[in-house]
Amino acid sequence: MSDIIQLLPDHVANQIAAGEVVQRPASVVKELLENSIDAGALEIKLILKEAGKTLVQVIDDGKGMSVTDARLSFERHATSKIRSAEDLFKLNTKGFRGEALASIAAIAHVELKTKQENDELGTCIVIEGSEVKSQNVVVTPKGTSVSVKNLFFNIPARRNFLKSNTVELRHVTDEFHRVALAHPNIAFSMFHNGGEQFSLPATNYRQRVVNIFGTKTNEKLVPVEEATEVLTVSGFVGKPEFSKKTKSEQFFFVNNRFVKSPYLNHAINAAFEGLLKDGYHPTYFLNLTVDPQTIDINIHPTKTEIKFDDEHTLYAILRSSVKHSLGQFNIAPVLDFDSDANLDTPYNYKNKSGKTPTITVDSSFNPFASSGAAPQKQNYNRQLKTQAHWESLYVGLESKSNDALNNFDEVTFESEAKTESIFKSSEVSPEKTTYQLRQKYIVSTIKSGMLIIDQNRAHQRILYENLLKQLTSKEATTQQLLFPLNISFSTSDIAIIKQLQSDLEFAGFQFSDVKDESVIITGVPVGVPESEVTIVLEQLISDVENDVPDQNFSASDLLAKSMAKSLSIKTGQSLNADEQEHILNSLFACKEPSVSPTNKTTFITLGVDDIEKKFM
């Protein structure tokens, strides 16, 4: 029998490694930006075409590479940060020109131009699918420029799995934000299809957050500072009143590297306990500094997940730090049992000086004086005059009341006004056919047994079909607002709203202006409360970010699903009999009553036979 195990060729091995490192254009952006940071760059420029599918170019002014380093950077297992296995547990860099470039070069056309400061000429290397096409001497400025063209050109199956340009650009923007937030001392710029998306100068951390997420963010931030032997925490958390229904503004950086940690996220939620409404999430931009030997960042290929040696201590320190900041800046409510609210100075008298009360005494008054005394006589006359004044109010009432008692025909009695209902009810009240169970399910009887409806999913289906009909027919009714709504969003969120603006207008929204960081709304769809407009738009942005439709998918369908999710009756909401009947009848008038817009079951039936089996 012949041998069946064989070594893979280098180009195949590189393509397999690329599958772990490079999943989409955003993965290439992350690797190249981190390489530029490790090269000591002070200014980094990112250039994209077709959301990175056609071109991803990163230009930096770092220290550059020599001819030998430039060539070795595309070899597998080549790195500048590891000399022994122990170095894996004390990493301070992100990875300088090693391993990632080999994976990228295996599935794209790569052109590298680099020059060190003391060299007169630089090096240009062109690689296509792990094969070096050329290596020449070129004139180039100090630093490095890496161009990655035609991603997945030799793996069509992987390229077919890429989403639309809008979706891929969103992922690239997220990676750009993460790297830029971690390094505010470096200037970043980003261009897409020739247009400038971001221009971030080197500045402090607070200003970097404001430059990315808009000027309105500045008033939302609460600083957090805490230094211990185990952990140093710095950064900002958002005020509770500015919390969002999405998790788009939650950033953890451990030793200047973005990480995802549900455990530490729980610590932040614990610090905000009692301050957030249900379904809302806190905003935070926190930098954690720990000993590199106490963490392991190599448990995931993208290094976004991390493992700590002592998670319980970090949890307690982080939660206490955030709670301390919220209390220090009077964000969290404080109970003071020592002060008495009755002793507090009223607001109207805060800046007024106290006045000494004046007392007037009638020195001539003598209670034992004779009745003929002049002062007493004046007081007595004053009393008689006052008594005559109030007694005059009842003049004539006695005679009228006596006449009324003698003539019973004129006696009238006051009673409450009797108002009849607009809809006259029948003498026999109709039998109740629906019941609400645990404020979540609507139970009704049918011929074959029992019907149980999930009120939230059913209402989503009803709203979804109505909204989709309005969007496709473009006949939505708009309700004009008395005062326009001015809602602030980040730059990336505004880009999504601009993309969906025409569909939103077909749904019934009216925009008077869409600025760089805010939108002004003058009309909303009928049935959408003014207080729910912000929630609807935030939910829509979140759905575009996460569920993100493909290019063959309808934007109207996504909008209808998102609005139905925001406006539907929630679990826990009490419904009267008429509302229950309305949902029941409207659901079975839908085209697809059995499933919600997200393909979840809306109702189940229990036949009489199924019920009888329970009693056997």
Side-chain angles (χ1 to χ4, degrees), residues 30 178 252 254 257-262 295-308 311:
K30 175 181 180 294
R178 293 166 182 174
F252 271 126
V254 177
R257 184 191 296 273
F258 173 79
V259 298
K260 296 177 181 178
S261 177
I295 60 175
D296 183 6
I297 61 175
N298 289 301
I299 61 175
H300 193 274
T302 60
K303 296 181 175 61
T304 56
E305 296 180 11
I306 197 167
K307 186 176 181 181
F308 300 94
E311 289 185 330

Side-chain angles (χ1 to χ4, degrees), residues 490-507:
S490 64
T491 308
S492 55
D493 291 345
I494 290 292
I496 295 176
I497 291 177
K498 286 182 178 178
Q499 175 196 347
L500 299 174
Q501 183 175 352
S502 59
D503 292 302
L504 286 169
E505 290 173 348
F506 291 146

Side-chain angles (χ1 to χ4, degrees), residues 236-248:
F236 303 93
V237 294
K239 295 179 181 178
E241 60 265 29
F242 297 108
S243 59
K244 292 187 173 184
K245 299 195 74 173
T246 64
K247 299 181 180 180
S248 58

